[in-house]
Amino acid sequence: MIPVQDVENQTIAVLGLGRSGKATAAALAAGGAKVSAWDDGVDTRQAAEAEGLEIVDLTRDAAWVGVSTLITSPGIPHLYPKPHPVIEMALRLGVPIDNDIGLFFRSFATEDWNHFDRTPRVIAVTGSNGKSTTTALIHHVLTQVGRPAQMGGNIGTGVLSLEPAIDGEVVVLELSSYQTELARALTPDVAVFTNLSPDHLDRHGGLGGYFAAKRRLFAEGGPDRAVVGVDEVEGLYLANQLSMAPADDRVIRVSSDSKLDGPGWSVFARKGFLSEYRKGRQVASLDLREITGLPGAHNHQNACAAYAACRAVGLAPREIEAAFHSFAGLPHRSQTVAELGGVRYVNDSKATNIDAAAKALQAFDRIRWIVGGLGKEGGITALQPHLGRVTKAYLIGHSARDFALEIGQTPHEVVETMEAAVARASAEAEPGDTVLLAPAAASFDQYPNFEKRGEHFVALVEELARG
């Protein structure tokens, strides 16, 4: 645990008592604060109270007497589409609002660091797609080369549940827009922006608000190095804003589809090869095509971003390359589950939006595509240019029939359930085919989250393997 600093004898309210909320309350208490906790769920409140938290009804004015700060969980809206009533009350009373990310950045450095030979560092990764894989890949490389490292944030361990840093350690954080948009302190040593595509637009009041939430990690924090994916205009704009001159190597530009020219520092992938350029000259190159844990152009973008971040903390190209080869990938993100009878089964349940699904469809040939769920605004019409590799689509979930109308002449079948989709796809697949779960939709019609959806797919494939 990382005790929160400078809160001794303060009364601090905590809204939301899920994993991060309870960890935040514990870290505040460890720092000497008096915590007043609240959650909208009766069962959640009762469970938290049984664990020793003081439950205070923050919907009542009297609860705010003496409260110095409100700490809110990331999933609770504070502005759009409208503030949560408790947050609206804090706004009205002038009580500062923060989250666990802000508390982490103001509490991570301690006096113990004065005795370290190497100062601990923080790498923070944000973006629309690929940030989990990029975060995990950076952490994997660091551990493989023997560098002490921890991983947390939006993946794995909550930030305040991490251990205090040791000499030379690197903490790698995945940060969502929900986390970056409100944190009062954002001071990573290296900040990574993977890409941007429309998502969570109701929460951010549109695409501009969504980009602004991501941009805060760079504008507010002033990282020593910024790794910026420039395959979209937002990334180009961000890199331009952060650079003082064309050769400013505090910004490392990253691309997965084009060679990057100029005198600065860049890392890009073309035709399966990663290249690093500095001052207009190539300084390193590696072959990504045989790295099984990183299939497809979207994972090559992740590899470029992770490579750049690792270079920014002093790792050598060859040790990064060696570590890449032992990376197994993350569950639910282009995860190869099995190869049965020459047919590859891939779980990309995390592909919940158009951009992620498009990248999954571009990563494989002869695809038997399992798609559907709770469709998002706009449906999947925008995926039509990427359907040339789809042999047949198997449509599941709430939006199955709507999606069937949006995929044009692509052969398809409405099968409703995951069981039926896996059964039909496996029965019809031929050697060389890939059965790909890339839903392009949320999971909440049939599953509590994308992880459970992916786990169901994996279980069904494992049943096939057992015969």
Side-chain angles (χ1 to χ4, degrees):
M1 178 195 300
I2 296 175
V4 179
Q5 298 182 31
D6 301 322
V7 294
E8 191 171 2
N9 298 321
Q10 295 183 33
T11 299
I12 297 180
V14 174
L15 175 63
L17 298 175
R19 183 193 67 166
S20 66
K22 288 192 289 188
T24 297
L28 286 165
K34 179 182 182 297
V35 177
S36 299
W38 181 253
D39 191 284
D40 292 338
V42 175
D43 292 344
T44 303
R45 292 199 301 268
Q46 290 175 345
E49 191 169 29
E51 294 175 17
L53 284 176
E54 182 180 355
I55 303 300
V56 178
D57 187 351
L58 295 175
T59 65
R60 300 180 179 274
D61 285 350
W64 293 87
V65 175
V67 171
S68 62
T69 308
L70 171 66
I71 308 299
T72 180
S73 293
I76 300 172
H78 66 275
L79 186 57
Y80 302 116
K82 64 178 182 179
H84 184 280
V86 169
I87 293 180
E88 188 170 14
M89 188 171 290
L91 293 171
R92 179 169 53 82
L93 295 172
V95 174
I97 304 168
D98 204 348
N99 61 17
D100 61 336
I101 304 301
L103 297 180
F104 167 83
F105 277 111
R106 83 183 212 193
S107 304
F108 184 52
T110 67
E111 292 184 358
D112 292 342
W113 290 22
N114 294 328
H115 307 292
F116 291 167
D117 292 327
R118 291 191 299 175
T119 302
R121 307 185 76 181
V122 177
I123 300 173
V125 181
T126 195
S128 296
N129 299 302
K131 57 184 179 293
S132 294
T133 297
T134 300
T135 301
L137 182 55
I138 295 168
H139 179 259
H140 174 79
V141 172
L142 290 165
T143 56
Q144 288 295 300
V145 303
R147 190 84 174 260
Q150 297 185 74
M151 179 175 68
N154 202 45
I155 183 174
T157 306
V159 289
L160 293 174
S161 295
L162 295 168
E163 294 300 317
I166 63 174
D167 195 332
E169 188 167 48
V170 180
V171 171
V172 191
L173 302 179
E174 177 192 337
L175 299 182
S176 72
S177 57
Y178 290 5
Q179 293 171 310
T180 58
E181 69 176 341
L182 194 60
R184 286 179 168 248
L186 284 168
T187 55
D189 298 283
V190 179
V192 180
F193 177 87
T194 58
N195 50 58
L196 194 84
S197 61
D199 209 358
H200 311 303
L201 300 189
D202 58 336
R203 170 67 179 261
H204 297 294
L207 185 61
Y210 179 47
F211 176 51
K214 301 285 190 187
R215 182 181 175 276
R216 288 191 78 246
L217 182 63
F218 303 83
E220 301 290 329
D224 295 335
R225 281 254 163 43
V227 176
V228 182
V230 295
D231 288 336
E232 296 88 28
V233 67
E234 291 87 357
L236 282 169
Y237 175 77
L238 178 61
N240 184 274
Q241 283 202 313
L242 296 172
S243 300
M244 297 302 293
D248 187 350
D249 68 359
R250 295 174 303 167
V251 178
I252 309 175
R253 290 169 171 81
V254 167
S255 174
S256 64
D257 63 9
S258 58
K259 179 180 179 180
L260 298 178
D261 297 315
W265 193 351
S266 62
V267 178
F268 57 87
R270 294 184 72 196
K271 298 180 180 180
F273 287 87
L274 180 152
S275 297
E276 177 187 2
Y277 273 68
R278 299 189 74 170
K279 299 180 180 179
R281 299 180 63 183
Q282 182 172 313
V283 297
S285 176
L286 61 96
D287 188 349
L288 299 173
R289 295 172 299 174
E290 301 303 317
I291 300 176
T292 57
L294 297 167
H298 61 305
N299 275 309
H300 293 176
Q301 182 184 58
N302 300 334
C304 288
Y307 175 95
C310 291
R311 292 286 284 137
V313 294
L315 273 59
R318 291 307 164 209
E319 58 185 353
I320 299 172
E321 180 180 14
F324 275 8
H325 280 278
S326 60
F327 181 66
L330 285 179
H332 319 301
R333 297 162 177 86
S334 293
Q335 172 195 12
T336 296
V337 178
E339 186 167 324
L340 307 174
V343 177
R344 186 178 187 180
Y345 292 81
V346 176
N347 167 26
D348 204 347
S349 182
K350 183 64 168 64
T352 60
N353 60 37
I354 291 295
D355 189 61
K359 288 175 178 175
L361 291 171
Q362 294 172 65
F364 306 99
D365 293 312
R366 293 172 51 185
I367 297 168
R368 294 189 177 273
W369 180 30
I370 300 175
V371 56
L374 187 61
K376 297 187 176 181
E377 184 178 352
I380 61 169
T381 304
L383 287 174
Q384 286 195 13
H386 307 290
L387 300 184
R389 298 180 179 184
V390 175
T391 303
K392 184 176 178 180
Y394 305 85
L395 298 125
I396 65 173
H398 176 271
S399 299
R401 285 171 173 76
D402 291 334
F403 283 8
L405 298 173
E406 297 172 2
I407 60 175
Q409 299 302 310
T410 302
H412 64 272
E413 183 178 350
V414 175
V415 294
E416 303 285 1
T417 67
M418 187 72 74
E419 291 91 342
V422 172
R424 292 291 291 160
S426 63
E428 297 177 353
E430 300 176 353
D433 287 356
T434 294
V435 176
L436 170 67
L437 170 64
S443 60
F444 306 126
D445 56 334
Q446 294 178 318
Y447 303 92
N449 50 52
F450 74 84
E451 292 95 341
K452 292 298 182 184
R453 177 170 60 191
E455 288 166 7
H456 190 197
F457 174 79
V458 170
L460 292 168
V461 174
E462 290 174 344
E463 283 184 21
L464 290 174
R466 290 193 293 268

